[in-house]
Amino acid sequence: MLYFSVPLGKLVRRVSRLRGGGSALPGLVVEKIDPGFMQRTLSTLPLGVAVVSGTNGKTTTTKMVVELLESQGLKVFTNRTGSNFTRGVAAALLGDVDWRGRLDADIAVLELDEAHAVHFVNRVPPRYSLLLNVLRDQLDRFGEIDKTAQLLQHIASKTTGTVVLNREDPRVARIADTLDGPEVRYFGLDDSLLSTFPNDDDLRAGPGSPVPALPAKPHADVVLRRVGTDDADFEYDGATVTTGMKLRGVYNIFNAAAALVLARCIAGNGAAPTDHDGLLKALSEVAPAFGRGESLVVDGLPLDLVLVKNPSGFRLGLKSFPAGGYATMVAINDNYADGRDMSWLWDVEFDSLREGGVDQLSGSRAYDMALRLQYDEVAIGAVNPEIAPALAAFIHGAKDKPKRIFCTYTAMLAIRRELSKITTVEVVS
């Protein structure tokens, strides 16, 4: 049956792209005129739907899972832009379906915002779900983290096949106790790495706070044992393997363990046996998702984009990408997709930026960021809330140095648009 919503949605998508509009607008249109579009389309997939959610790491983890599954010969549909609301998924579907609304894929692997994932799974129960972590993030949208944990628990409760949980995050691990039906798998860390990946309680605890006794941890299907400069050790099936990693940032390497668990679950349910060597080779070749430690070249020197959107993400970004030897810019917006509440900036320690200072501050909350840096005695070169002139000044003023920009989501999109005028930037459709 030909649904008129598909041709109309494709037309809106084409016009929107020509005008430089947002990637989610066509999805919003098709949701309004055809509420059953997503469910009807995704229900045809032989291996069903896998949902990836949690506070940090969704985009890169989803990218890893997709590339691992493609290494096994599977056709995978995904929302590549990182537009992780339901309308973003609908918009991505419009780009992949034919004019009759048919999707040529074996499985969908979808990154979903915690709150929007609840609405999605009510309409499209996933066969698999991967729940990464629960950390304070955008209090104006989610409330405190126990509310976020409840959102993730609802995703798990709607999952019909396998739920993959982070055993090192107590709020995520406890979701297993509420489930009756789905199979539960875990990913985890070697004890020597636990301090590198603090959960929210660890982040909030002050010096000298008592550390509660840990219960016996469940067995993890994949454990990250070691993180090197450009490789990592993972343990699974009773053996430890070493693989090279193009991904940068220690948090990305931990999420690689999560991606391995989910990919192995899905590939193991396929018609062909799992090619484990192929999985590791694919993992070693995964490049950063756009804006997540992505490195571009400007004036012959690297310019790194590091997405920051909550205290733990900014802390890990500063730890994973040291400021030494780099010119630094910070761009903070407070649009809806960034979160309106910027009080979380006061939960980040910026001491690591003190030695070299920050060359440029930009975004709608540039002056809030400036005030925060002053309290940590970090020198500031210039403040300009307008991103385009601030970026131009940053590039010109540091033309002989490698550069790094820490930015919120909508600031990152604006920066990428400006950078596309002077260098090659991947087009994400």
Side-chain angles (χ1 to χ4, degrees):
M1 177 179 180
L2 178 62
Y3 290 83
F4 77 91
S5 59
V6 174
L8 178 59
K10 282 181 171 290
L11 177 62
V12 173
R13 184 174 185 270
R14 181 172 298 177
V15 172
S16 178
R17 286 167 65 83
L18 287 173
R19 297 182 62 184
S23 62
L25 175 61
L28 183 61
V29 171
V30 80
E31 277 190 325
K32 292 291 186 183
I33 63 176
D34 185 3
F37 169 67
M38 276 195 306
Q39 182 178 10
R40 185 175 66 248
T41 306
L42 295 174
S43 65
T44 65
L45 300 180
L47 296 179
V49 174
V51 167
V52 179
S53 196
T55 306
N56 281 347
K58 296 182 289 292
T59 299
T60 300
T61 305
T62 300
K63 186 175 191 287
M64 283 190 275
V65 174
V66 169
E67 295 188 24
L68 291 177
L69 293 178
E70 289 176 341
S71 78
Q72 305 298 296
L74 296 176
K75 294 180 181 179
V76 185
F77 165 75
T78 189
N79 48 334
R80 290 188 69 235
T81 65
S83 180
N84 54 28
F85 297 174
T86 53
R87 59 181 178 267
V89 175
L93 275 172
L94 285 170
D96 278 31
V97 298
D98 64 19
W99 288 95
R100 298 181 63 86
R102 294 174 298 196
L103 180 63
D104 182 20
D106 298 304
I107 187 168
V109 179
L110 304 174
E111 169 197 350
L112 285 169
D113 164 275
E114 300 95 305
H116 284 261
V118 169
H119 301 295
F120 177 88
V121 301
N122 286 338
R123 285 187 273 173
V124 185
R127 188 173 302 181
Y128 306 92
S129 60
L130 168 56
L131 308 179
L132 295 168
N133 42 54
V134 178
L135 296 155
R136 285 207 321 130
D137 180 30
Q138 301 185 21
L139 300 183
D140 54 306
R141 288 174 56 203
F142 297 126
E144 281 293 349
I145 60 173
D146 288 332
K147 173 61 176 178
T148 306
Q150 291 172 12
L151 298 175
L152 295 185
Q153 191 278 328
H154 183 80
I155 299 168
S157 70
K158 292 290 186 179
T159 304
T160 62
T162 302
V163 177
V164 179
L165 302 176
N166 178 355
R167 78 169 185 189
E168 314 303 348
D169 187 314
R171 288 179 175 80
V172 173
R174 282 198 294 266
I175 289 173
D177 299 333
T178 71
L179 301 178
D180 182 17
E183 176 189 27
V184 178
R185 301 283 185 91
Y186 296 91
F187 63 100
L189 287 169
D190 189 272
D191 287 348
S192 64
L193 294 172
L194 289 174
S195 62
T196 304
F197 299 92
N199 59 54
D200 195 83
D201 292 333
D202 295 331
L203 286 173
R204 304 289 287 171
S209 298
V211 178
L214 292 173
K217 293 194 290 190
H219 168 77
D221 287 68
V222 177
V223 176
L224 175 61
R225 291 296 184 195
R226 181 189 64 86
V227 177
T229 304
D230 54 8
D231 66 356
D233 292 349
F234 298 94
E235 180 185 319
Y236 58 88
D237 294 344
T240 299
V241 298
T242 300
T243 181
M245 301 292 295
K246 287 184 179 179
L247 289 170
R248 302 159 67 212
V250 290
Y251 49 89
N252 284 332
I253 311 303
F254 185 29
N255 290 335
L260 274 171
V261 176
L262 181 58
R264 279 160 48 88
C265 289
I266 295 169
N269 285 330
T274 304
D275 174 10
H276 294 286
D277 291 339
L279 283 177
L280 289 177
K281 184 175 186 298
L283 184 63
S284 71
E285 295 173 351
V286 176
F290 77 109
R292 278 74 172 178
E294 175 185 25
S295 188
L296 307 172
V297 177
V298 176
D299 296 332
L301 292 168
L303 185 152
D304 298 341
L305 294 178
V306 183
L307 177 69
V308 296
K309 64 188 187 75
N310 52 46
S312 63
F314 213 146
R315 287 181 186 217
L316 284 170
L318 291 169
K319 184 173 184 176
S320 298
F321 302 96
Y326 277 73
T328 301
M329 174 174 171
V330 180
I332 305 294
N333 276 351
D334 64 349
N335 297 317
Y336 177 75
D338 307 298
R340 300 287 190 184
D341 179 6
M342 286 293 136
S343 62
W344 62 264
L345 291 172
W346 294 89
D347 293 328
V348 183
E349 296 173 355
F350 294 97
D351 299 6
S352 63
L353 298 177
R354 189 176 293 156
E355 182 176 349
V358 172
D359 298 76
Q360 285 280 340
L361 291 177
S362 190
S364 57
R365 300 299 285 269
Y367 286 100
D368 297 75
M369 189 71 239
L371 178 63
R372 177 67 192 92
L373 291 179
Q374 284 186 341
Y375 272 81
D376 274 0
E377 300 178 352
V378 176
I380 300 165
V383 181
N384 187 342
E386 297 298 323
I387 286 177
L391 179 63
F394 175 59
I395 291 172
H396 177 74
K399 58 184 177 182
D400 297 325
K401 295 179 68 176
K403 304 163 190 67
R404 182 165 294 134
I405 304 176
F406 297 94
C407 45
T408 58
Y409 182 70
T410 65
M412 177 192 70
L413 296 180
I415 289 167
R416 291 180 98 256
R417 282 195 297 271
E418 293 301 314
L419 289 174
S420 69
K421 300 173 184 177
I422 58 174
T423 189
T424 301
V425 176
E426 179 190 6
V427 176
V428 182
S429 61

